[in-house]
Amino acid sequence: MKHIWLVPILVLLLINCTNERQQESTTTLYNLVQYVDPQIGSVHGRWFFYTPAARPFGMAKLAPHTNAYNSDGGWGPTGYDDRHTSLEGFGHFHEFQIGGLVFMPMTGNLKTVPGTLEEPDTGYRSRFDKATENAEAGYYTVHLSDYDIQAELTSTERVGYHRYTYPQTETAHLIIDIGHKQGESSDVTEAFAQIVNETEIEGHIETYPEYAKFCDPGKRVKMYFVAKLNKKPLSTGSFVDTVQQKGASETKGINNGLYLTFSMEENEPLEIRTGLSHTSIANARLNLNTESNGKSFDEVREESRKLWNKALNKIIVEGGKKEDRVKFYTGLYHALLGRGLSSDVNGNYPQIDGKIGETPLDEMGKPKYAHYNTDGIWGGFWNLSQVWGLAYPIYFRDYVQSNIDFYKDRGWLHDGAANGVFTNGVQTNFQGLLLASAYNIGIRDFEVKMGYKAALKNELEYRGRNLGNGKYDLSYFIKQKYIPYKDTIISNGWVFNFGASHTLEYSFSSYAVAQMAKGMKDMDNYGKLTEQAGYYKNLFDSETQFIRPKLEDGSFIQDFDPMRGWDGFQEGNAYQFSWYAPHDVAGLMDLIGKETFNERLETMFSNAQKSMFGGGSEEIHSFSGVEKLYNHGNQPCLHNPWLFNYSGKPWLTQKWTRTICNEFYGTTPLHGYGVGQDEDQGQLGAWYVMAAMGLFDVQGHTSANPTFQFGSPLFDKVSLKLHENYYPGKELIIETRNQHPNNPYVQSVSFNGKPITDCWMPREELMKGGTLVFTMGPEPNRDWGVGQVPPSMSNENN
């Protein structure tokens, strides 16, 4: 049995922090960064997933590259793979559909192409020994064995710091690649750089991302930089692939870059500070000067560590297994890393065609909020936004306001944006749902009226829809009350046939905005949207008891296999998506029948465990679980383990959420999130954070009165700091008595000394602060939590 330690020094001993406590002003911070391991899940990871030398939500996301150069430029895993043993450079920009500006130090005979993983000696690529590699939150280092160079990276929010320590040599080179595809950047259409003086370089890179080609044809993404070096080069030159031009001080075109050559003493460091911007070279220089003047590499590294520590200390866990603390804080780290700043220190942010937006400034002349680049949210509201809402509500507000500003510029909410350009990765556009969820949990210090107008348009207006603003098939949903089974072929040859899953998803987002409409006292649209929220029922087939795609004439498709992936359902199958009515679980259960609902749900998880819940395939692939009964590696399934709370068997939610935490999640580069599955900007890590605390909302806070449903907490104690601007309470404590790996089942729950007999409670009550106590045991208590079920659309007013 673990104990709830009350004496601070014993708490420190419990979490191995005896000598690692810090003081920041009057706030005690625990060294939680020790539990962050960026290598977890780094096999087959996403472009923006492995960026250790970054700050929370930062623009400068520095990272080593093993396979970014001239990559396909789509969404697939690229950039860094832990299995690789040579590096091709160190990149600055890592966001969805954004990449570029790579530095690579080398010695000896100058090469200006990186070579290949298979044949590193054909270019400047360097082998490295994994034992010399160290990645932390905010810092990365590795020894380049081919050149005997120690490489180190860190950053401020908008400035990348490099330190390359060379051996004694007269041929120390720095390659600056600006003109090649990097990661998700896709085609470079123009790249320019010039040496401004002996120690300063400036330039810009323009790209045409794959997703922009069909979401926002003709629009470009621009990146700007100003780099300052601590040493003058002996000579300079430019290159286009292997063709070198000695003595050149500038370059413009594609497939191009600059090189600098130095004379270095033994262990002499070359230090580079690179200011970044998405708006202009002038702002890159402003960001550089504002954030880095007078700050050494080591000072910035330490500052980054403190900032990460401060962010992680919003949620302090005690007890439990060290392995679970590593999973928890690495997951929380990912949840704070997957989106990045697009705005400068002066509040400028990028819009299309070179336009620059400006955020309002406060009385001190500082921007009132930040702007962000982002992939689509899709199922992130089940985890990312719940974590953000609990511990980081200011970021949640800024994220919502960023999209409202985008709406004011472009006329639509985006569900994926790169520097003002539509790069919609998933066509359902859940940004209206996310905006409504922020409103529902009391985050209202954004432009609420404008946000509501944008969200309403996102759910009701089908004219002018396209692949950029998403919901391109909304007209069918509005007019026919379902979206038919038919192919959509886009310009790059991709074929969509997602009518069934879109019907379900648009029903859910309609419910979310209906709830906001009620709060805004817009009862006409509340009624209209509530009707749309029930359209998911129009695809229920009573014969098979599955959601089944329909043709345009209203008949169900004939060749129907509920296990077949991608056939009417995006990144899933009918078995997985037939659970997808999160806003109305009660209504869905009425359609299926409670007995069949439970029987099918239990069979699903018993079967799914055999395949590590969809993530245990021998083939490493982001979609390895698409044709299985359950796929925890992808977003449409993530509410499923919590459905037993609605079906009268909450002990099975407790069992399966804990089992998924133990078995799907790992602590190795390969087995981090399943086996090489898609972490996708931290949303799987955030699911672990919520499940490990024993809290989750199947509705994703889309109800006007959001709730949390209970699971099986993993730690003796969780202390969650509540933001004073948004919540009446100062702190929420979750204590777990009789915590043990063999005690997954809830025996009883109390809040501030009062027994809680249901397996859920209103979120608003928890946000008043206090202590939520779970008492655990080895066997289910089948009498607890089976009274009043959590609210659904069909019963929330009962």
Side-chain angles (χ1 to χ4, degrees):
M1 172 182 175
K2 294 282 193 293
H3 298 278
I4 303 299
W5 299 101
L6 299 178
V7 183
I9 189 64
L10 292 180
V11 172
L12 293 175
L13 286 169
L14 181 63
I15 61 174
N16 301 319
C17 296
T18 307
N19 298 312
E20 298 154 350
R21 188 170 56 173
Q22 309 163 51
Q23 293 290 329
E24 180 169 294
S25 301
T26 59
T27 302
T28 300
L29 295 181
Y30 298 103
N31 181 20
L32 302 180
V33 293
Q34 66 174 314
Y35 298 117
V36 173
D37 183 358
Q39 300 302 124
I40 290 175
S42 59
V43 167
H44 202 249
R46 292 287 291 277
W47 171 237
F48 35 66
F49 173 65
Y50 187 84
T51 53
R55 290 188 176 178
F57 310 125
M59 177 188 296
K61 292 183 174 178
L62 274 62
H65 292 173
T66 65
N67 64 344
Y69 182 89
N70 275 342
S71 57
D72 290 339
W75 68 271
T78 186
Y80 176 91
D81 192 311
D82 189 82
R83 296 169 295 181
H84 298 160
T85 57
S86 66
L87 294 174
E88 61 190 24
F90 303 95
H92 292 76
F93 291 101
H94 294 85
E95 298 294 347
F96 181 65
Q97 300 293 286
I98 299 175
L101 186 58
V102 175
F103 293 171
M104 182 63 182
M106 65 171 296
T107 62
N109 183 36
L110 177 68
K111 300 175 183 178
T112 51
V113 294
T116 65
L117 283 164
E118 296 77 20
E119 298 183 75
D121 293 328
T122 58
Y124 55 68
R125 179 185 288 274
S126 174
R127 299 168 183 85
F128 68 101
D129 185 340
K130 298 294 289 186
T132 71
E133 184 179 49
N134 179 45
E136 305 170 5
Y139 174 75
Y140 177 85
T141 185
V142 69
H143 188 77
L144 302 177
S145 56
D146 287 351
Y147 306 122
D148 192 23
I149 294 172
Q150 189 70 26
E152 298 175 90
L153 310 173
T154 191
S155 71
T156 68
E157 278 75 17
R158 301 171 180 86
V159 180
Y161 273 66
H162 302 246
R163 183 162 65 191
Y164 302 126
T165 303
Y166 287 79
Q168 183 176 7
T169 177
E170 295 295 312
T171 57
H173 308 293
L174 178 70
I175 307 297
I176 302 174
D177 191 299
I178 58 174
H180 292 93
K181 294 192 291 186
Q182 299 289 345
E184 291 189 4
S185 75
S186 194
D187 302 323
V188 177
T189 53
E190 181 182 279
F192 168 77
Q194 64 179 352
I195 299 172
V196 180
N197 56 51
E198 292 178 311
T199 59
E200 185 172 305
I201 301 163
E202 66 182 23
H204 69 259
I205 302 167
E206 180 185 88
T207 64
Y208 194 16
E210 286 302 308
Y211 279 66
K213 290 174 184 176
F214 59 84
C215 287
D216 222 350
K219 304 304 180 187
R220 300 291 194 268
V221 164
K222 279 197 172 184
M223 295 155 273
Y224 301 87
F225 65 94
V226 175
K228 288 190 177 181
L229 292 77
N230 70 333
K231 185 179 177 70
K232 300 176 184 179
L234 292 175
S235 61
T236 66
S238 66
F239 64 88
V240 176
D241 291 327
T242 60
V243 178
Q244 302 167 12
Q245 184 176 351
K246 294 181 181 180
S249 59
E250 70 173 57
T251 180
K252 185 175 183 179
I254 61 173
N255 302 323
N256 58 326
L258 295 174
Y259 64 85
L260 313 178
T261 301
F262 303 84
S263 172
M264 304 296 286
E265 298 297 328
E266 184 72 23
N267 294 324
E268 182 181 1
L270 175 64
E271 297 190 357
I272 313 164
R273 295 176 292 128
T274 311
L276 307 177
S277 173
H278 291 301
T279 61
S280 67
I281 289 176
N283 274 354
R285 185 171 283 106
L286 176 66
N287 293 338
L288 174 66
N289 293 335
T290 303
E291 294 187 354
S292 74
N293 268 3
K295 292 182 179 181
S296 70
F297 184 101
D298 291 329
E299 287 172 333
V300 169
R301 176 188 175 186
E302 177 62 15
E303 190 178 79
S304 290
R305 188 183 68 82
K306 288 181 177 179
L307 283 169
W308 274 111
N309 230 15
K310 184 178 179 181
L312 298 174
N313 268 261
K314 298 291 185 183
I315 310 176
I316 299 171
V317 302
E318 301 170 23
K321 296 183 292 184
K322 179 180 179 180
E323 178 185 15
D324 292 340
R325 293 196 294 277
V326 170
K327 292 179 185 179
F328 184 92
Y329 283 111
T330 302
L332 189 57
Y333 160 79
H334 289 153
L336 304 179
L337 190 63
R339 269 75 175 168
L341 282 168
S342 65
S343 54
D344 300 314
V345 292
N346 61 2
N348 288 175
Y349 63 90
Q351 297 176 331
I352 57 168
D353 301 331
K355 295 185 297 181
I356 296 176
E358 298 180 2
T359 61
L361 306 179
D362 62 19
E363 61 278 3
M364 302 295 293
K366 303 292 185 182
K368 289 185 176 181
Y369 54 88
H371 266 260
Y372 294 97
N373 284 310
T374 175
D375 191 359
I377 197 69
W378 208 26
F381 56 83
W382 273 325
N383 28 67
L384 285 171
S385 62
Q386 292 193 49
V387 169
W388 297 339
L390 280 173
Y392 311 97
I394 289 179
Y395 169 69
F396 196 2
R397 176 209 58 192
D398 288 6
Y399 184 84
V400 166
Q401 183 62 53
S402 292
N403 209 326
I404 294 171
D405 286 348
F406 189 99
Y407 167 80
K408 290 190 292 185
D409 181 44
R410 303 294 306 273
W412 297 94
L413 294 174
H414 70 73
D415 196 23
N419 294 359
V421 175
F422 282 114
T423 51
N424 191 356
V426 179
Q427 297 299 320
T428 42
N429 198 335
F430 271 130
Q431 291 292 345
L433 179 151
L434 196 74
L435 194 154
S437 71
Y439 177 87
N440 292 337
I441 64 173
I443 297 176
R444 299 183 181 180
D445 51 341
F446 57 86
E447 291 183 82
V448 171
K449 290 183 179 179
M450 183 64 71
Y452 174 61
K453 180 181 178 182
L456 199 64
K457 183 178 182 181
N458 201 41
E459 303 306 318
L460 295 176
E461 181 58 79
Y462 55 84
R463 291 162 296 189
R465 301 309 294 230
N466 55 46
L467 295 169
N469 53 46
K471 295 181 184 275
Y472 61 88
D473 46 7
L474 185 66
S475 62
Y476 291 104
F477 184 75
I478 300 293
K479 297 174 181 179
Q480 294 185 214
K481 303 183 180 182
Y482 73 94
I483 300 168
Y485 179 88
K486 61 180 297 185
D487 286 348
T488 297
I489 303 174
I490 65 175
S491 58
N492 64 0
W494 292 354
V495 180
F496 297 154
N497 191 339
F498 302 146
S501 59
H502 283 182
T503 300
L504 304 175
E505 290 167 321
Y506 299 176
S507 298
F508 184 24
S509 59
S510 293
Y511 171 81
V513 180
Q515 298 293 289
M516 188 177 184
K518 183 164 62 174
M520 300 291 289
K521 303 189 186 311
D522 180 2
M523 301 314 292
D524 286 344
N525 282 313
Y526 169 71
K528 187 183 302 183
L529 289 164
T530 300
E531 180 184 347
Q532 288 182 191
Y535 287 176
Y536 73 92
K537 298 177 182 179
N538 295 334
L539 291 187
F540 181 75
D541 174 22
S542 57
E543 180 181 345
T544 62
Q545 294 183 306
F546 283 107
I547 297 295
R548 184 172 177 175
K550 277 184 177 179
L551 300 171
E552 287 188 79
D553 65 6
S555 63
F556 288 115
I557 63 171
Q558 292 302 304
D559 180 22
F560 176 61
D561 177 0
M563 296 298 292
R564 187 165 55 231
W566 302 96
D567 196 23
F569 302 91
Q570 183 158 14
E571 300 181 29
N573 58 31
Y575 198 104
Q576 294 171 7
F577 267 100
S578 288
W579 305 108
Y580 201 102
H583 58 298
D584 194 20
V585 181
L588 181 65
M589 202 180 319
D590 286 342
L591 291 175
I592 298 174
K594 186 174 181 179
E595 183 177 345
T596 301
F597 187 95
N598 271 323
E599 179 183 311
R600 189 181 287 174
L601 202 57
E602 292 175 48
T603 298
M604 176 173 69
F605 282 105
S606 296
N607 179 283
Q609 188 176 18
K610 299 172 186 175
S611 67
M612 196 188 287
F613 302 97
S617 172
E618 293 181 3
E619 178 189 7
I620 297 174
H621 197 281
S622 300
F623 298 128
S624 61
V626 165
E627 295 192 344
K628 290 182 166 45
L629 294 177
Y630 177 78
N631 182 18
H632 195 79
N634 211 350
Q635 298 172 40
C637 289
L638 293 180
H639 66 302
N640 293 3
W642 303 87
L643 294 178
F644 292 107
N645 282 331
Y646 292 79
S647 67
K649 295 188 175 184
W651 59 89
L652 291 179
T653 282
Q654 298 151 30
K655 172 185 175 179
W656 290 117
T657 56
R658 180 172 286 208
T659 303
I660 290 168
C661 285
N662 290 339
E663 297 179 11
F664 178 86
Y665 291 88
T667 57
T668 69
L670 178 60
H671 179 200
Y673 302 89
V675 175
Q677 283 196 287
D678 187 8
E679 204 332 22
D680 201 358
Q681 303 174 82
Q683 58 89 20
L684 283 176
W687 189 97
Y688 184 94
V689 168
M690 295 303 301
M693 293 193 293
L695 301 176
F696 194 79
D697 182 14
V698 165
Q699 293 183 308
H701 299 339
T702 58
S703 170
N705 300 294
T707 65
F708 274 122
Q709 302 91 57
F710 300 140
S712 179
L714 285 172
F715 302 104
D716 294 356
K717 183 178 180 180
V718 179
S719 303
L720 178 66
K721 295 177 176 63
L722 301 176
H723 199 291
E724 61 184 2
N725 290 359
Y726 299 96
Y727 305 122
K730 292 184 178 180
E731 191 171 43
L732 174 65
I733 305 295
I734 303 172
E735 291 184 2
T736 308
R737 297 174 181 171
N738 301 333
Q739 178 61 269
H740 189 276
N742 295 329
N743 290 349
Y745 296 106
V746 175
Q747 306 301 300
S748 63
V749 176
S750 67
F751 184 58
N752 293 335
K754 178 183 176 182
I756 303 296
T757 58
D758 294 325
C759 60
W760 62 278
M761 65 182 297
R763 185 184 190 277
E764 184 179 25
E765 289 299 309
L766 284 173
M767 295 302 97
K768 292 176 182 177
T771 303
L772 182 68
V773 178
F774 291 82
T775 301
M776 311 300 290
E779 299 295 333
N781 178 359
R782 297 171 189 259
D783 295 323
W784 179 83
V786 295
Q788 187 175 2
V789 299
S792 294
M793 184 177 75
S794 294
N795 65 12
E796 62 187 346
N797 295 318
N798 293 348

